[in-house]
Amino acid sequence: MARITATADRVTWDSFEQPHRTARDYTAFGPFHFKQPQYGDALLALSAKISSDKR
């Protein structure tokens, strides 16, 4: 799991955790920052791919 924070120009993934493996430490993992336009384009492409795979 992760927290996803979106602003007008950036998307950030941070606060990673694995609830089924609570002993794992993810504090050094991330944060990951993405520019909003590229992030939105990637989500649209993924959505189109998933939709076409269901046919």
Side-chain angles (χ1 to χ4, degrees):
M1 295 176 46
R3 175 175 58 188
I4 300 172
T5 305
T7 65
D9 62 340
R10 174 180 281 198
V11 176
T12 301
W13 294 358
D14 64 3
S15 300
F16 292 90
E17 64 178 280
Q18 170 46 276
H20 301 289
R21 294 180 177 89
T22 56
R24 291 189 180 175
D25 180 10
Y26 290 94
T27 55
F29 190 68
F32 300 100
H33 304 282
F34 309 94
K35 292 179 180 176
Q36 184 62 272
Q38 288 85 1
Y39 191 85
D41 290 347
L43 287 179
L44 288 174
L46 176 61
S47 179
K49 176 66 175 156
I50 290 170
S51 294
S52 70
D53 285 351
K54 289 183 178 180
R55 295 180 187 166

